[in-house]
Amino acid sequence: MTQHNTDYLLQMRDVTFRYQATSEADLLAIAQWDLRVGQKVFLYGPSGSGKSTLLNLLAGTLKPQQGSIRILNQDIALLSARKRDKFRAQNIGVVFQQFNLIPYLSVAQNIEAAAWLAGNTRADLSHRIAQTIRQLQLPTTILAQQASQLSVGQQQRVAIARALINNPRLMIVDEPTSALDSDARDSFMQLLLQVCEQANSTLVFVSHDQSLSQYFDERVSLASLNQAIPAKAEQ
Ligand code: ADP
C-alpha cells in the first residue's frame, strides 16, 4: 500500500459528509479517491448530486464528519483555521462558477490580493502577474481595468490567472463554461489545460455538461465515487 506517497496530490479515505448533523443520510460517502500529481480529471454528475460539496471538501472550506482528506500529505481538517487558509492560498487555486472577482478592484489588484493571502510578496510580483495575464492570452492593458468592466470571457481568464498566481499544486475549477458559446468554450478549455500542464498542476474540473469530457483523458462520475444514497437529487 502506498499510503502516503509523495506521488499523490490527493488521498481521500472513508470520507462521509452531510450538511446537517440531524439529517438522516450522508450526502457523500467516499471510501477512496486518489489523484496523482499532475493528473487532470473531469468530474461529472447531475445538478444537486454533490459535486460542489466535494470541491469544498477538497479546498478545506467544508470538513468531513468522518475520514481523512490528505492534500500533499497534509490532512487539511487537522489544521487550525489560520493555517488552513494559508495552506489553501499557497497550494490550491479555485475558479468558482461566478468567478468571484472583487468588482471595484482592478484586475491587477484582484490578482495581487490572492498573492498576498498566500504570503507571496516576491519583488517581481507585478512582472509575474503580467506574465500570467499574457499566458492567458489577455493584453496587459487589462490589468488597470476595473473587474466590473470585463466581459464574461475576460472574467474567466482573469479568474484563472488569479488562481494560478501562486503556482498551485491543485487547481479546482467549478463549471466555468456555461456562459460561453461553443467556440469560446473550446478555446477556453484548451487554454485551461495548457496552463495547468505548464504549471504541472493537478486539475479537478467539475461540470454537469458531459460534452466537456472530450478534453480529458480521465473522467470520473460522482456516482461512481459516492456510496451514499444514489440519485438523491432526483428523489
Ligand atoms: P452539485 O454541485 O452537484 O450541483 P451541490 O454540492 O451544490 O451539488 O449540492 C448537493 C446537495 O446539497 C443539494 O441537494 C443541495 O441542495 C445541498 N446543499 C448544498 N449546499 C448546501 C448548504 N450550504 N446547506 C445545506 N444543503 C446544501
Side-chain angles (χ1 to χ4, degrees), residues 116-157:
W116 291 337
L117 277 176
N120 176 351
T121 53
R122 44 192 279 183
D124 63 345
L125 184 58
S126 43
H127 172 72
R128 165 95 181 105
I129 290 174
Q131 198 181 33
T132 308
I133 280 293
R134 281 194 295 269
Q135 204 186 358
L136 270 302
Q137 296 171 11
L138 290 166
T140 47
T141 49
I142 208 171
L143 286 166
Q145 279 186 42
Q146 208 170 307
S148 61
Q149 297 170 347
L150 304 179
S151 71
V152 173
Q154 288 171 329
Q155 286 179 54
Q156 271 166 330
R157 289 175 188 220

Side-chain angles (χ1 to χ4, degrees), residues 19-20 27 46-53:
Y19 277 101
Q20 266 115 28
L27 171 64
S47 227
S49 59
K51 302 182 299 298
S52 297
T53 304

